Amino acid sequence: MDTPRHHDGILILDYGSQFTQLIARRVREAHVYCEIHPGTRSLEWIREWGPKGIILSGGPNSVYDEAAPTAPPGILDLGVPILGLCYGMQILAQMAGAEVVGADRREYGRAVITVAGGKLFSGFAVGEETAVWMSHGDHVDTPPPGFRLTASSPNCPVAGFEHESRPIFGVQFHPEVAHTARGGEIIGAFLFDVCGATPDWTAGHFVETETTRIRELAGSARVICGLSGGVDSSVAAALVHRAVGDRLTCIFVDHGLLRLHEREQVEATFRRHLGIDLRVVEASELFLTALDGISDPEEKRRRIGHTFIDVFESEAKQVGSDVGFLVQGTLYPDVIESVSPTGGPSVTIKTHHNVGGLPERLPFKLIEPLRELFKDEVRQVGRELGLPEEMVGRHPFPGPGLAIRILGAVTKPELDILRAVDDIYIEEIRAAGLYDDIWQAFAVLLPIRSVGVQGDFRTYDQAVALRAVTSRDGMTADWFPFPHEVLSHISNRIANEVKGVNRVVYDVSSKPPATIEWE
């Protein structure tokens, strides 16, 4: 988006920090709208955007390097409150006339600062110490002319500063990360005490404004949506349905790679619960034929994607000649990842396989109702729309389905085995009351067989790996520490109840170095 649709917006200028999305999440958690844009935006663009406040992110560069990114000249004279974080603070210091120098000791990780005062630290006592997260190799030795010191640490003489009369602030640490003990308080002071932002970015407010926008955009045209049954497409469909009613048609392609009873659950929710026009296409044989003998994961994804587009395109043409729009479940992280922080060539927006390529193939305009939201915000909107909790709180499920959870060629017998294993696994996680503590849990069918003993017989059957991770946004993840008795019970049930499986292993890899999915 080039202009915000919400008042009191905070503009975050991105200089390449690994924590930039966290800044946005913290601002959104305070119910204040914000957007992330490249640090190369011009002063004219920023002025037209009309921010209530500006945050300059951290970054990996040194401000004194010849090609280092910086803020546009004149940004300090806009009269808009500015907060620089880490590299962002160094940008402000350099622009205001201070020298940024290489530190004798680089500082990465936990540190303790001493507060010297200032508006960002209004809830702290002068002289109070607090834990923060540092990540820098450069620092400022002396505040710029017209600025005063607000915090320091043993290795960082200027850990914070503020202008004596203008609303310009900088901190050398990262208040957005959880390791900074009172980081939310510091960000809140900037948002509310300095910027005077209004905390009206809520699920209810979003549903109200987005419904009106979609209704005006669609006019009298019919709208189609590729429904996968996952959180994103389900919430997008429910939101568009609220706006256009029976002019929405959802197309659900059963590619035969779904989990047990998934098709029936989608039909029950969208037809009976929400009253949405849902068209189900049975295409499992078509997809299995396309996947015949294919083991390479990227080739699997490619064939599934191309087959899906063919099936969806054929069904979409039968909906009617008055179709004008296609709903796509793009989320805000996808939008952020499509923009280079330095203004260079951008990467392609990631799209779910069930709509990837469709905008080019079909003569429809896009409606992307969730493109401003993070995943947790999508779930809140789903609850606001009345979607059932088992759908809203569902773990992420990949577009290519179980095909990328079978390591090797995909066959119907192996899909049936994996479906049965997955069903037992998720059922037991729910029974133990652990489902909502886990970001994502699933089973993987391994391309190996091993010797086992079941009853009086030796077996030579397949092995499955169980995976469960905790995460905030899927960018990093840790393996979930199941209670031993729960994991033991799950393993026993799978080995006893699923014919063809005699060995169960648990994946204790974190991301990084591993990914969450195996393929």
Side-chain angles (χ1 to χ4, degrees):
M1 296 181 307
D2 285 329
T3 55
R5 295 204 299 268
H6 308 271
H7 64 283
D8 288 350
I10 299 296
L11 175 62
I12 300 168
L13 294 180
D14 181 20
Y15 293 95
S17 170
Q18 60 181 316
F19 301 131
T20 300
Q21 283 200 34
L22 275 180
I23 302 171
R25 294 179 71 88
R26 296 295 175 261
V27 174
R28 297 279 186 92
E29 286 167 2
H31 302 299
V32 175
Y33 182 73
C34 66
E35 288 181 14
I36 297 172
H37 286 275
T40 51
R41 292 298 194 190
S42 69
L43 193 68
E44 292 72 23
W45 186 95
I46 294 171
R47 189 180 286 115
E48 184 179 348
W49 201 94
K52 193 79 171 179
I54 299 171
I55 297 177
L56 309 184
S57 84
N61 300 93
S62 293
V63 293
Y64 48 75
D65 287 347
E66 187 176 343
T70 188
I75 193 171
L76 301 185
D77 300 318
L78 280 177
V80 176
I82 301 175
L83 170 60
L85 308 180
C86 200
Y87 181 80
M89 169 181 169
Q90 294 165 15
I91 289 175
L92 294 179
Q94 187 183 63
M95 295 182 78
E99 185 180 10
V100 179
V101 297
D104 293 334
R105 288 180 55 190
R106 293 173 178 268
E107 202 166 19
Y108 298 102
R110 186 182 182 276
V112 175
I113 63 167
T114 301
V115 174
K119 288 186 177 180
L120 296 188
F121 300 97
S122 58
F124 296 72
V126 174
E128 182 176 349
E129 295 185 340
T130 186
V132 301
W133 187 260
M134 294 280 194
S135 180
H136 65 97
D138 301 328
H139 66 222
V140 181
D141 276 334
T142 306
F147 285 73
R148 55 177 165 244
L149 183 76
T150 58
S152 61
S153 77
N155 295 319
C156 187
V158 182
F161 60 50
E162 69 177 26
H163 195 274
E164 293 173 353
S165 60
R166 294 191 286 173
I168 303 172
F169 306 82
V171 293
Q172 187 55 70
F173 54 89
H174 289 276
E176 69 272 24
V177 305
H179 302 82
T180 296
R182 297 170 67 179
E185 195 175 329
I186 294 167
I187 292 174
F190 178 71
L191 296 177
F192 303 117
D193 298 344
V194 176
C195 299
T198 304
D200 63 357
W201 177 251
T202 63
H205 180 263
F206 174 82
V207 168
E208 180 183 337
T209 56
E210 190 65 12
T211 299
T212 300
R213 187 189 74 87
I214 293 169
R215 189 176 293 131
E216 292 174 352
L217 177 65
S220 60
R222 179 165 289 279
V223 181
I224 58 172
C225 174
L227 192 65
S228 71
V231 177
D232 303 340
S233 69
S234 298
V235 173
L239 184 56
V240 173
H241 183 250
R242 173 170 287 205
V244 304
D246 60 8
R247 285 186 287 112
L248 171 69
T249 295
C250 289
I251 299 172
F252 179 79
V253 177
D254 184 353
H255 47 38
L257 310 172
L258 303 170
R259 290 178 289 192
L260 198 63
H261 307 309
E262 192 158 14
R263 172 173 167 173
E264 293 84 353
Q265 290 167 355
V266 169
E267 289 184 287
T269 298
F270 284 87
R271 279 189 179 144
R272 292 197 287 276
H273 182 68
L274 296 176
I276 290 177
D277 176 25
L278 176 66
R279 305 191 181 190
V280 177
V281 185
E282 169 54 57
S284 54
E285 289 299 325
L286 194 62
F287 281 84
L288 278 174
T289 300
L291 290 169
D292 186 30
I294 304 301
S295 298
D296 180 72
E298 285 309 307
E299 182 63 15
K300 286 181 188 176
R301 290 177 183 273
R302 191 188 70 81
R303 291 188 177 217
I304 291 168
H306 285 192
T307 305
F308 187 95
I309 290 172
D310 290 341
V311 173
F312 189 96
E313 182 180 25
S314 174
E315 188 66 23
K317 289 178 178 177
Q318 298 179 39
V319 172
S321 59
D322 57 341
V323 175
F325 293 87
L326 170 69
V327 179
Q328 185 160 292
T330 308
L331 300 193
Y332 195 45
D334 302 328
V335 177
I336 297 167
E337 289 175 14
S338 73
V339 180
S340 167
T342 59
S346 62
V347 297
T348 303
I349 291 180
K350 294 185 301 181
T351 52
H352 193 282
H353 88 278
N354 64 356
V355 288
L358 283 172
E360 292 78 25
R361 289 274 291 267
L362 296 170
F364 307 141
K365 297 177 182 176
L366 278 180
I367 293 179
E368 297 176 299
L370 310 179
R371 64 177 282 124
E372 297 175 330
L373 305 184
F374 288 104
K375 191 80 170 189
D376 53 341
E377 294 175 314
V378 173
R379 296 188 197 279
Q380 290 299 326
V381 168
R383 294 182 181 103
E384 183 74 22
L385 291 166
L387 287 174
E389 187 61 33
E390 59 267 23
M391 178 169 283
V392 173
R394 177 185 172 182
H395 293 174
F397 187 64
L402 299 181
I404 60 167
R405 292 178 179 171
I406 294 175
L407 304 193
V410 179
T411 67
K412 190 174 187 306
E414 289 189 320
L415 283 166
D416 290 339
I417 288 174
L418 187 54
R419 262 190 276 271
V421 171
D422 181 85
D423 190 57
I424 291 171
Y425 186 30
I426 299 302
E427 180 184 310
E428 289 300 328
I429 289 174
R430 289 190 183 278
L434 299 174
Y435 189 83
D436 293 335
D437 296 334
I438 297 170
W439 164 265
Q440 192 172 6
F442 57 91
V444 178
L445 191 62
L446 303 180
I448 56 174
R449 292 180 182 270
S450 65
V451 174
V453 179
Q454 292 174 300
D456 296 325
F457 299 94
R458 287 171 66 83
T459 59
Y460 189 60
D461 283 336
Q462 291 184 269
V464 293
L466 304 182
R467 180 83 158 131
V469 298
T470 58
S471 180
R472 182 167 183 93
D473 49 24
M475 297 174 68
T476 61
D478 292 320
W479 59 276
F480 182 75
F482 276 112
H484 290 178
E485 62 274 15
V486 173
L487 205 53
S488 175
H489 181 59
I490 292 169
S491 175
N492 287 339
R493 275 201 63 191
I494 290 171
N496 289 332
E497 298 178 31
V498 182
K499 187 177 180 181
V501 174
N502 66 0
R503 192 173 298 271
V504 178
V505 299
Y506 186 57
D507 182 351
V508 292
S509 309
S510 295
K511 177 187 178 182
T515 54
I516 295 178
E517 295 281 355
W518 280 45
E519 285 197 343

